[in-house]
Amino acid sequence: MARRSAVGHGRGTAVVDDESAPGMRAFDPSADPWRASETGRGRGRGGPRPGRWGGSGGRWWIWVGRAVLWALIVVILVNGIRAPFERFTESGGTQAPTGPSQARGTGFPTSAAGAFALQFANVYLNYDQQNAAAREAQLRTFIPDSADGQFGWNGLGELRVQSVHVAGVDARDANNGVVTVLARTQDRWLRLAVPVYAKDGALVIKARPALLPPPAKATLPQSGLQERDTALEGELAPVLGTFFKAYASSDQATLARFAERGAIAGLGDSVTFVQVREVNAPRGDAGERTVTATVAWQVPGNAGGAELEQTYELDMVKKGTAWYVRDIRGTTEPGAS
């Protein structure tokens, strides 16, 4: 009897030729490689175990990896469901955007309502009894169809405003808001409260506006006076005189000598330098100081030698014996110089 090799044929191909039964083949159990591993069970404690993978670590690491993967999938699913739900509940179940054009929490379109009220106020606050019909035609684009065409004006006299600006928007809810408009006549300020109704992108002046008192003039706080460095003020006066003369004409060659970092653009001959009237330098670091300077300018085209005094704030840095300008800007100090 001859046995044929099972290598390369799989588990079920280990057979023997039975000489007593020509043409018939019988399965040889001893040729089963899986059975061989079972018979070697008692050969030593380190021998391969039946039905198990003999590689390092076994199946334990596979189950750990699967557990980690499923945990990650659960976390992703929970976060994906929770995020839109939280956004929905925070917005009260609405889908209204909360961008810069809308009041946060109300959905009222503040930017659009402000622009609409501004255009309305330019028509409403300019009237002339000679052009009443033209005013009514313009107002009709802003007011309800059922409203009085002159919207409260009796058709007599005249009013002219020089400028109109939006001062603020009070959003009451998603559809209603009051736009505060400031207007300037020749001799006074007017403050107008304009009620605006918004719905699906459309706007209308909901009711007649109301005149309110103009903003009151604020009183500046009493700020503590800093001790002045008069010696430094005298040292900086001629330096800043040369600097501001170059600043007025945008003389880049001269400005480059004063710039501590970067380039200083200058005013491009929009004004003519007259004089540095005052320098205010508080005491501080010997090599770095923030000072203010009051400068007199002449504006081209103004007859009679008209001048404008303006106050600047400058960050000055000392290198060696020379002072350089790090930055120049306007000041917020009322008594700076």
Side-chain angles (χ1 to χ4, degrees):
M1 179 176 63
R3 183 171 60 188
R4 183 177 299 173
S5 174
V7 176
H9 298 283
R11 180 177 178 178
T13 58
V15 296
V16 296
D17 293 331
D18 191 348
E19 297 177 353
S20 63
M24 300 296 291
R25 296 182 180 182
F27 177 78
D28 184 4
S30 64
D32 189 350
W34 297 94
R35 184 176 289 274
S37 65
E38 292 175 359
T39 58
R41 194 177 293 176
R43 295 179 181 178
R45 300 182 63 180
R49 301 181 64 184
R52 299 284 182 94
W53 176 53
S56 175
R59 294 177 179 250
W60 186 81
W61 287 107
I62 297 177
W63 288 108
V64 171
R66 288 177 179 175
V68 173
L69 178 60
W70 277 109
L72 179 61
I73 292 174
V74 170
V75 170
I76 294 173
L77 288 175
V78 170
N79 287 337
I81 295 172
R82 184 180 61 184
F85 178 78
E86 290 178 347
R87 288 195 297 268
F88 180 81
T89 55
E90 288 176 358
S91 62
T94 64
Q95 297 295 324
T98 57
S101 64
Q102 296 187 333
R104 186 176 297 276
T106 66
F108 184 75
T110 56
S111 296
F116 188 75
L118 180 66
Q119 297 299 319
F120 162 78
N122 271 297
V123 178
Y124 179 81
L125 294 175
N126 285 284
Y127 55 76
D128 184 344
Q129 62 185 17
Q130 303 298 325
N131 299 307
R135 178 180 184 269
E136 178 177 351
Q138 294 180 59
L139 281 177
R140 283 295 179 190
T141 62
F142 299 97
I143 63 178
D145 294 338
S146 59
D148 165 36
Q150 295 296 345
F151 220 44
W153 177 49
N154 67 354
L156 301 177
E158 64 177 313
L159 178 66
R160 290 284 181 272
V161 293
Q162 298 173 342
S163 62
V164 183
H165 305 277
V166 175
V169 179
D170 178 16
R172 306 293 174 83
D173 54 42
N175 303 113
N176 297 279
V178 177
V179 180
T180 300
V181 174
L182 289 178
R184 178 68 183 175
T185 67
Q186 188 172 2
D187 59 351
R188 72 188 68 184
W189 281 101
L190 301 175
R191 185 158 67 110
L192 191 69
V194 182
V196 178
Y197 178 80
K199 180 70 172 179
D200 299 329
L203 300 166
V204 69
I205 304 301
K206 188 174 184 179
R208 293 176 182 176
L211 279 174
L212 302 174
K217 184 168 65 175
T219 301
L220 293 174
Q222 296 294 326
S223 57
L225 296 177
Q226 293 181 303
E227 186 179 1
R228 296 175 62 166
D229 188 341
T230 55
L232 179 59
E233 292 172 357
E235 181 182 353
L236 289 178
V239 174
L240 293 179
T242 305
F243 168 78
F244 277 108
K245 184 176 181 180
Y247 186 69
S249 61
S250 293
D251 180 356
Q252 291 302 313
T254 303
L255 287 174
R257 301 204 321 261
F258 289 96
E260 190 265 341
R261 62 173 70 163
I264 300 175
L267 301 177
D269 285 321
S270 59
V271 292
T272 301
F273 174 74
V274 178
Q275 183 184 9
V276 174
R277 294 281 166 83
E278 186 179 4
V279 177
N280 187 317
R283 293 193 177 277
D285 188 349
E288 187 172 334
R289 207 75 60 88
T290 298
V291 304
T292 56
T294 298
V295 184
W297 306 113
Q298 280 188 345
V299 180
N302 285 350
E307 296 180 2
L308 283 175
E309 287 188 356
Q310 298 185 332
T311 303
Y312 292 85
E313 187 173 274
L314 303 100
D315 292 335
M316 307 292 296
V317 179
K318 190 172 187 179
K319 295 183 177 180
T321 59
W323 283 94
Y324 297 87
V325 177
R326 173 175 291 172
D327 189 27
I328 178 171
R329 55 187 176 269
T331 183
T332 60
E333 298 299 326
S337 59

